[in-house]
């Protein structure tokens, strides 16, 4: 069995990522200039943004389900021309550097299992969770701050 961890599509964030917007006084999506690495994990590239790069802090509805588990929360996204990371059977750099809370959900959006793991050691835990046929996705969260990190799903193609 294989899994895929795909960065978020930049089009989800509209003009927030437009470099011309950086510095605008929009408090719903404040901008930051990265001053430490690691420190600003981009949910598009699935790596930490580089020092000097601009990032936006946005609220993202990462688990839209008609259940008590519905969630949204703050995430960093890189401004400019960020390309979505795509990782098959490997852990992306931003996740590998952090302790992760893995939350496994069924097709109805109900949590059926969970695990706490060091990101670099997450692969066997992900495979064990996905071996349960009722699990349709895993959401990885940064365990220390609790922020959504990435969706993990079974991969069935090239």
């Amino acid at each position: 069995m294989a899994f895929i961890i795909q960065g978020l599509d930049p089009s989800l964030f509209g003009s927030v990522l437009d470099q011309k917007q950086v510095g605008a006084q929009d408090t719903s999506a404040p901008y930051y200039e990265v001053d430490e690495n690691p420190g600003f994990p981009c949910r598009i590239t699935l790596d930490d943004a580089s020092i000097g790069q601009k990032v936006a802090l946005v609220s993202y509805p990462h688990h839209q389900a008609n259940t008590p588990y519905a969630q949204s929360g703050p995430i960093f996204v890189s401004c400019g021309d960020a390309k979505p990371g795509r990782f098959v059977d490997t852990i992306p750099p931003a996740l590998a550097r952090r302790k992760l809370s893995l939350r496994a959900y069924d097709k109805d959006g109900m949590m059926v299992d969970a695990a706490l793991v060091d990101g670099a050691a997450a692969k066997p835990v992900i495979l064990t969770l996905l071996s349960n046929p009722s699990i349709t996705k895993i959401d990885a969260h940064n365990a220390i701050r609790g922020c959504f990190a990435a969706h993990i799903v079974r991969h069935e193609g090239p």
Side-chain angles (χ1 to χ4, degrees), residues 1-154:
M1 173 189 343
F3 64 87
I4 187 166
I5 305 174
Q6 177 80 38
L8 298 175
D9 183 341
S11 70
L12 294 171
F13 307 103
S15 64
V16 169
L17 303 184
D18 185 345
Q19 288 285 19
K20 292 180 255 165
Q21 297 277 25
V22 174
Q25 297 299 320
D26 179 2
T27 57
S28 66
Y31 296 94
Y32 297 89
E33 184 170 327
V34 174
D35 60 0
E36 63 180 292
N37 184 300
F40 294 81
C42 174
R43 293 352 184 266
I44 297 171
T45 64
L46 300 178
D47 200 353
D48 285 86
S50 301
I51 292 177
Q53 187 175 359
K54 303 282 190 233
V55 295
L57 182 63
V58 300
S59 181
Y60 177 68
H62 56 272
H63 187 64
Q64 297 181 46
N66 190 21
T67 75
Y69 291 106
Q71 296 179 44
S72 66
I75 62 170
F76 288 112
V77 290
S78 296
C79 295
D81 191 27
K83 303 283 186 246
R86 185 176 189 272
F87 298 84
V88 177
D89 283 339
T90 59
I91 306 302
L95 279 67
R97 293 184 185 105
R98 293 169 171 83
K99 187 171 287 294
L100 301 175
S101 169
L102 301 176
R103 303 168 188 180
Y105 298 95
D106 67 13
K107 65 179 177 52
D108 297 319
M110 294 296 289
M111 189 183 305
V112 295
D113 206 346
L116 184 65
V117 63
D118 286 322
K123 183 175 179 174
V125 177
I126 291 168
L127 292 171
T128 297
L129 289 169
L130 290 175
S131 70
N132 178 339
S134 70
I135 292 173
T136 59
K137 78 165 183 167
I138 300 168
D139 280 353
H141 290 252
N142 297 325
I144 292 177
R145 292 204 178 208
C147 301
F148 169 75
H151 298 295
I152 305 166
V153 295
R154 287 178 190 85

